[in-house]
Every structure is written in C-alpha cells, then in structure tokens.
Amino acid sequence: MSNRVLIVLTSHDQLGETGEKTGFWLEEFAAPYYVFKDAGAQITLASPLGGQPPLDPKSNEPDFQTAATHRFEADDDAKAQLAETKRLSEVNANDFDAVFYPGGHGPLWDLFENENSIKLVEDFWAQDKVISAVCHASIAFANARDKDGEYIVKGRNVTGFTNSEEDAVQLTDVVPVLVEDTLIARGGKYTKKGDFEPYATRDGNLITGQNPASSEAAAQSVLDTLGSG
C-alpha cells in the first residue's frame, strides 16, 4: 500500500506592513512533492483557506529555480491539484501516514497559532505518525503539544530558518516571529549549518529542514522514516 502524505501550505499572502506579497516558497513545495510522487505516494494538499495558496513571487524569480520548479511549471496536473487544496479544517490525521509543511514566510502568520493546524500536528504525533516541515514552516510545530502537555519540540532535535538567514533577507523586523528563537524558547534542541546550506534533522517522527536547499533532504527523510527510502 502506498504511503499517504498530506502537504499543508500557507494561505497568507501579505508580507507584514510592507505592502509586498508573500506565500509559500515554490521550491519547498515542488521538490518534496516530486520526492513523494516519484516514490508512489498518494499526495493530498491542504491550506487554511483551501483553494489556490499564494505563491511568494520572489520564489518564482530565475535565481531560485531548480529542476523541481521547472518540472512543476510544466506539470498541468500538479498545478490543477495545487489550485484546489482542501481546507485544513476538513482533513484528518487518521487518513494519512505523514504530514509535510513547505515554508515561505506565509506560515509565520497563519500556521504558527492556527488551531486546526496545531490539532492536526498533535493528532499525527499522538498516532506515532511523521510530522515534517522545512524552513519557516517549522514554526507550525512550535505550539503543538504531546499527550503530557509538553511542547512536541521540547528536548528534540529541530531546525528551521535561522536568525542570520532572516537577517540576510532583511526581514527580521518585518516577520511576527523568528523561527530559531521560537523553537529554542519552546525547549527545542535547535541546530543549524551555515546560511542557506542544506541541512535536515530527524528526531524520531519529527523531521525538519533549515532552508529551501534542505527541502529535498527533508522529504527524503520522511520516506526513509516511512520505510520507503
């Protein structure tokens, strides 16, 4: 039986008070999508509001294109699926083997304190299923708790977009929360590599990647954990 993977994207498209747009980061969706698809997984897409999630326009610039993003741009079926994400409130952890959260700055606004998302993560965790994220989306795990009421990330290896990377993209004073600081504040054993270097970490069923360059490695770690890699 093929693995069932839920990918949860942001629905938030405003970059704070800058007047600029944000959303999900294309490579952080496309690379994992094809890692899972090529392994034969059944993929379901969801977002807080459902429908077409907003794409961070910067992630579609030439400098940030990869083989996976080019493949996605030529994949009408994948684009059609992305345009019709399910509402987050309508998906259930019982129906999946793993959940993956792509980053982009959007999740800092609508997935950090989203009750449906937090419950979903907690349900996956309670069922001993894989929870995974890359870059800013690691923030989706910061407020989730285990059956004992402890933060899931407490005492566990975790990574995500670093403070220095946020400085490098000049958004430290724009974002509502910093991933690195928040994960550490929740008791996470936060580790990182150099800015924008590939790095993913796994602690049991908790898998996180540091930045866009880490998305494929994080997704592959999901498959390895599920016994498919």
Side-chain angles (χ1 to χ4, degrees), residues 136-218:
H136 290 91
S138 295
I139 205 71
F141 302 152
N143 288 320
R145 297 176 184 266
D146 63 21
K147 59 181 176 57
D148 298 319
E150 297 281 2
Y151 289 116
I152 287 172
V153 299
K154 183 178 179 181
R156 293 189 170 90
N157 295 311
V158 65
T159 191
F161 207 60
T162 69
N163 290 350
S164 58
E165 287 171 331
E166 204 68 81
D167 283 341
V169 297
Q170 300 181 331
L171 290 174
T172 300
D173 295 328
V174 172
V175 296
V177 62
L178 292 169
V179 177
E180 178 178 341
D181 286 355
T182 305
L183 293 174
I184 291 171
R186 298 292 190 268
K189 294 165 65 176
Y190 181 91
T191 56
K192 60 187 176 182
K193 286 196 174 179
D195 287 359
F196 307 107
E197 291 182 14
Y199 180 60
T201 183
R202 174 191 169 200
D203 194 323
N205 284 330
L206 172 61
I207 296 167
T208 46
Q210 180 177 318
N211 48 37
S214 313
S215 55
E216 188 169 320

Side-chain angles (χ1 to χ4, degrees), residues 2-225:
S2 59
N3 290 308
R4 301 162 300 170
V5 179
L6 175 66
I7 299 179
V8 178
L9 299 111
T10 182
S11 293
H12 185 86
D13 70 350
Q14 297 296 315
L15 190 60
E17 304 299 321
T18 65
E20 296 181 21
K21 293 290 189 179
T22 188
F24 73 92
W25 197 260
L26 181 57
E27 199 276 342
E28 294 175 24
F29 164 71
Y33 180 87
Y34 289 115
V35 167
F36 299 140
K37 183 176 181 179
D38 291 346
Q42 298 177 37
I43 302 170
T44 298
L45 308 182
S47 61
L49 299 180
Q52 176 73 55
L55 173 67
D56 187 317
K58 284 189 172 61
S59 73
N60 211 19
E61 292 175 357
D63 286 351
F64 301 114
Q65 299 309 300
T66 65
T69 66
H70 289 306
R71 181 177 174 184
F72 174 76
E73 290 300 336
D75 189 339
D76 290 339
D77 289 341
K79 287 190 282 189
Q81 186 179 9
L82 182 66
E84 297 181 349
T85 67
K86 295 180 179 294
R87 280 185 178 269
L88 200 51
S89 59
E90 298 172 352
V91 295
N92 192 306
N94 297 336
D95 299 327
F96 304 97
D97 302 301
V99 63
F100 188 94
Y101 284 75
H105 282 85
L108 299 181
W109 278 272
D110 72 344
L111 292 173
F112 176 41
E113 297 177 323
N114 184 289
E115 291 182 4
N116 289 320
S117 178
I118 292 169
K119 183 181 186 302
L120 184 72
V121 170
E122 291 176 344
D123 288 347
F124 268 89
W125 192 256
Q127 294 177 33
D128 294 322
K129 293 178 176 178
V130 175
I131 62 172
S132 53
V134 65
C135 202
H136 290 91
S138 295
I139 205 71
F141 302 152
N143 288 320
R145 297 176 184 266
D146 63 21
K147 59 181 176 57
D148 298 319
E150 297 281 2
Y151 289 116
I152 287 172
V153 299
K154 183 178 179 181
R156 293 189 170 90
N157 295 311
V158 65
T159 191
F161 207 60
T162 69
N163 290 350
S164 58
E165 287 171 331
E166 204 68 81
D167 283 341
V169 297
Q170 300 181 331
L171 290 174
T172 300
D173 295 328
V174 172
V175 296
V177 62
L178 292 169
V179 177
E180 178 178 341
D181 286 355
T182 305
L183 293 174
I184 291 171
R186 298 292 190 268
K189 294 165 65 176
Y190 181 91
T191 56
K192 60 187 176 182
K193 286 196 174 179
D195 287 359
F196 307 107
E197 291 182 14
Y199 180 60
T201 183
R202 174 191 169 200
D203 194 323
N205 284 330
L206 172 61
I207 296 167
T208 46
Q210 180 177 318
N211 48 37
S214 313
S215 55
E216 188 169 320
Q220 186 59 52
S221 185
V222 172
L223 291 182
D224 293 344
T225 306

